[in-house]
Structures are given as structure tokens and as C-alpha cells.
Amino acid sequence: DKIMATFTHDFATQWELEAHMKKDLDSFMAIKDKLIEAGLTHSKHGVLAGQQGKFRHMGIMFFDSVEAFNACIEIIRNADWDAEIAKVNRFENYVIDVEVNA
């Protein structure tokens, strides 16, 4: 993997987080095959744990080239997500320079 992108969403309530998680999974599954064809190598997601009053979901996607990243981001931008659920979004991408296996 050469590129990693993170999609972080913060919510005011647990209800909003749970509603987002259901819609997010449904939306991701609807475009998953297109993303794989475009060069997504793997993805992960999780929720922030152990932080009282904080409700955060993060998705992480990995790509083997800048071209694959760009193609997948275009698919992601055109997908039906959860605009109706109030949240704070943060998107970051990284070039992976070293992979450490413990």
C-alpha cells in the first residue's frame, strides 16, 4: 500500500453515531466493488472507545497508487452518504513511507 486516507466523523450524540454507522456501512457496501476495481486494496473502520461524551467514527482506506486513490475518491464523492446526520468531518491522506510490523 502506498496511500492511506482517513475519514473521521464526530457526533454530538450516540444516537447520531449509531445512525451514521448503519447508513455508512450500507453506502460503503453499495460502492465496494467499484472501489476494489478502481484500486482500493483494503479498508478498516472503528469507533472511539473509552472517551466519555465523545462519539467518533473513523474509516481508513488503503490504495497502491495515487491513480487508484484519485479514482476511488471520485467514486466516494459521488456516492450517497448521510448528509442529513449532523457531524463534523475531517479527511486526511498520507503517503506511507515505512510499514512497521510488530
Side-chain angles (χ1 to χ4, degrees):
D1 300 315
K2 306 252 189 275
I3 306 290
M4 178 179 77
T6 63
F7 304 82
T8 305
H9 316 289
D10 289 319
F11 302 90
T13 68
Q14 183 172 343
W15 180 88
E16 290 167 323
L17 170 64
E18 291 171 358
H20 160 79
M21 293 292 295
K22 179 179 180 348
K23 176 67 174 162
D24 190 73
L25 181 59
D26 291 344
S27 297
F28 181 81
M29 294 307 289
I31 62 172
K32 175 184 66 103
D33 292 339
K34 289 180 185 176
L35 292 171
I36 291 169
E37 286 177 24
L40 175 71
T41 57
H42 64 281
S43 65
K44 301 176 181 191
H45 76 105
V47 295
L48 181 65
Q51 299 292 316
Q52 187 70 21
K54 292 189 178 183
F55 307 99
R56 177 175 295 158
H57 170 242
M58 177 184 272
I60 306 170
M61 296 181 170
F62 298 87
F63 313 90
D64 60 7
S65 70
V66 172
E67 294 78 19
F69 167 80
N70 288 332
C72 288
I73 291 301
E74 186 66 25
I75 294 166
I76 290 165
R77 284 188 179 131
N78 291 319
D80 176 29
W81 297 99
D82 62 351
E84 70 280 2
I85 300 172
K87 64 187 153 301
V88 175
N89 292 315
R90 187 172 69 247
F91 170 73
E92 299 174 326
N93 55 46
Y94 302 85
V95 174
I96 299 173
D97 62 345
V98 175
E99 190 163 333
V100 178
N101 294 312

